[in-house]
Each structure stands twice: as C-alpha cells, then as structure tokens.
Amino acid sequence: MEIEIRKIFGVKRGSNDKSPWITGALCLHDDRVILADSNNPRILLYDGEGSLLNEISLFGNPRDVVLLENSQLVMTLPNELMILFLDLETFKVTKTVHVGYECFGITLVGKKLVVACGTHLTTLDVNGEILNTTPIRDCSARYICGDDNENLYFTGWNTDAIHCISTYGTYSIMPGNALLKFCRGLVVLNEILFVVGRWSNNIVRFSLNGDHKEPILTKADGLDVPVAMTLSRNSTNKFLVTNNNGRSVVICEMVDPASKGQTQVTENESKCPKEEIEQELVNSD
C-alpha cells in the first residue's frame, strides 16, 4: 500500500487571533473531525471537507481526546490536572475527573482509559474512576495508544524512541534511530505502528516488534512539523495528521499502488507561512 494526501485544510485561529496548536484529533464515523486546540480553550468540529461546523469553548486548553461508545468525548486538560467528559451530541460537560497530575495523551484500551501523565500512566474505567497508576522510566510520557491485545505504546518529551508496556507488564523501548526525531502522535493499525516525527517531518511505519521500520510520509510530501495522528472510524484506509505545528490538517489514504495518482488533493486554505511557525515552536512541546 502507498499513501495519498486527499485533503488539506487550515484551522481557524483562536480568540485575539491566537494561533491554533492542534495536539489531538478524532475522525468520526460520518467523516466529521474533532480537533483539540492546546493553544486555546476550545475544541473544533469540522466536516470532512474542511468546513468549520462548531467551536466549543472550554475552561481549559485540551491536549488530547478520545471517543467512548456512548458518544462521550473524553479529553485531557494538563493545566487543570484533570480529564473532562463532553457529550458529543449536546457538547455539554457531563463530568470532570481530577487526576492530580499534568495529563497529556489519552487512549481507550479495551474498556479502560489510559492517560499519559509524564512520569506515570493513569488507568481509569470509562466512568472516570481511577483504577491504578503505573510508573514509567526514561521518559516523560506525552502521546499514547494501544493495540487490540491491550499493549501500550507511548512517546515522551524530547525523545526519539517509542516506549512499550505489554499486557503482562514487560517494559521495552523501540529506538527511532535516525528515522525519527522528537516522536509525537502514534496509532496502531493491523499490527503496524505508525509514529509521527515532529523534527524529522515524517511518519514512520514500524512492525510491532520493532524489527522493521520505514517512512511513509516525509517533508517531500508536505509534512512540516507534524504533531498528532488519528485513524478514521469510517474507513480503515484513512488517517489524519495535524501539520504545520498543529495549524493545519492533512487527511490521507492508504491506496493500492495501481490506483495511485487518480485522485487529486484538495486544499481549502493556504498553508501557514514558515516564518510564523518558527516564531512559536519554542513555546510548544
């Protein structure tokens, strides 16, 4: 399979013309897109064509977001040391849970939520009850995902490796070597791990044992300081990447090489000027 870029769209700036920094995203079953803006206290709802449908104000800046089966969004608010439950239909807050630590990435593994809290992982049930915490080493955990076997994979602050905790508690590290610099968002699909390299401007595909790795999207394809990544719930072949340091969205599709090039990319807003991105990189992690 090869990768084609299907859609690129810019993200609306925040209040007082503040730049967005999209660090978490979801692609819903109807192709709508949820974006968590870590630079502004809001989440944004776009349709699959990149048109803004709704902007929901929050009392904190969200870092990451997941969707539960009961149509509840659950997002992390690092500065408030809590996670927040939001009804997807009404966009009303239904619950907040204080976890006591800065909380960054969040993932749903089986029937449990796992939150990356820097020095440890916090596990909760889907009702928000804290079940346990797991200390981690050599990493300040930021982004996290899990596979169908409930193994966990996470990346940390200022690291070029992927950290893994198996269902049985075994801890291991997959080095990015020269391919990945400053690992950020990551997802698992069909026994393959996809990892965003922020400073390497790429997405790298790993076998789950770490033996095989290769870039699938690079700066030559238009990636420029990518941050987060999420899979589509409508198609197993589509995924979304937040690009330009979280100021734009790139929707991609894994395609058969025989059909590559038959669909043109569409772009409804110009990309962010490079000089604007560089001015704010030092203020984001």
Side-chain angles (χ1 to χ4, degrees):
M1 300 294 284
E2 297 185 16
I3 308 299
E4 282 196 351
I5 294 176
R6 297 302 196 200
K7 171 72 69 175
I8 300 172
F9 63 87
V11 178
K12 177 187 174 184
R13 298 178 75 88
S15 61
N16 299 319
D17 204 34
K18 196 171 184 180
S19 296
W21 182 31
I22 306 303
T23 53
L26 290 172
C27 293
L28 304 178
H29 293 286
D30 56 6
D31 287 334
R32 289 182 299 166
V33 174
I34 298 282
L35 302 176
D37 186 355
S38 196
N39 214 29
N40 295 278
R42 62 177 184 168
I43 60 171
L44 301 115
L45 178 66
Y46 282 83
D47 67 17
E49 296 301 313
S51 296
L52 181 64
L53 299 175
N54 203 349
E55 181 177 352
I56 299 93
S57 297
L58 304 171
F59 57 80
N61 295 11
R63 177 60 67 93
D64 200 6
V65 58
V66 295
L67 178 66
L68 303 181
E69 291 180 355
N70 62 355
S71 296
Q72 292 279 311
L73 296 171
V74 188
M75 61 199 72
T76 55
L77 303 179
N79 293 338
E80 287 69 32
L81 314 182
M82 66 172 54
I83 62 172
L84 179 149
F85 290 71
L86 190 81
D87 187 273
L88 180 59
E89 303 302 324
T90 64
F91 293 108
K92 301 295 185 182
V93 175
T94 59
K95 183 183 298 186
T96 59
V97 178
H98 191 267
V99 297
Y101 302 90
E102 283 188 295
C103 42
F104 302 100
I106 185 170
T107 191
L108 182 65
V109 180
K111 297 294 184 180
K112 299 176 183 178
L113 293 164
V114 184
V115 183
C117 297
T119 57
H120 67 275
L121 307 179
T122 298
T123 303
L124 309 91
D125 66 22
V126 293
N127 296 313
E129 294 294 325
I130 297 176
L131 302 176
N132 60 66
T133 60
T134 303
I136 57 177
R137 61 176 186 265
D138 303 323
C139 177
S140 179
R142 288 298 196 271
Y143 288 83
I144 187 167
C145 72
D147 62 23
D148 291 339
N149 296 316
E150 301 189 13
N151 302 305
L152 296 171
Y153 308 86
F154 53 95
T155 59
W157 165 248
N158 198 23
T159 180
D160 302 332
I162 299 94
H163 296 245
C164 317
I165 298 179
S166 75
T167 307
Y168 306 103
T170 304
Y171 197 106
S172 61
I173 297 175
M174 289 192 289
N177 298 331
L179 288 178
L180 278 171
K181 296 299 179 184
F182 210 84
C183 301
R184 305 322 287 151
L186 67 174
V187 298
V188 175
L189 175 65
N190 298 331
E191 301 298 314
I192 300 294
L193 178 68
F194 299 87
V195 185
V196 173
R198 186 183 184 194
W199 296 131
S200 48
N201 299 302
N202 61 1
I203 295 174
V204 176
R205 174 169 53 195
F206 285 76
S207 58
L208 290 186
N209 60 13
D211 290 342
H212 178 72
K213 57 181 76 74
E214 62 174 336
I216 60 168
L217 280 177
T218 68
K219 192 174 183 65
D221 300 303
L223 289 193
D224 188 15
V225 197
V227 180
M229 181 177 182
T230 188
L231 299 171
S232 171
R233 285 169 171 75
N234 188 38
S235 170
T236 57
N237 293 328
K238 288 184 179 180
F239 62 89
L240 177 154
V241 182
T242 65
N243 200 28
N244 300 120
N245 199 37
R247 298 184 184 184
S248 68
V249 171
V250 180
I251 297 176
C252 305
E253 185 171 6
M254 291 173 275
V255 299
D256 188 315
S259 63
K260 185 173 173 60
Q262 295 179 2
T263 303
Q264 293 184 337
V265 60
T266 57
E267 185 172 351
N268 70 349
E269 290 192 32
S270 59
K271 294 181 182 178
C272 304
K274 182 177 180 181
E275 58 270 18
E276 288 188 13
I277 298 171
E278 291 174 345
Q279 289 175 0
E280 296 189 6
L281 289 180
V282 294
N283 298 320
S284 61
D285 63 358

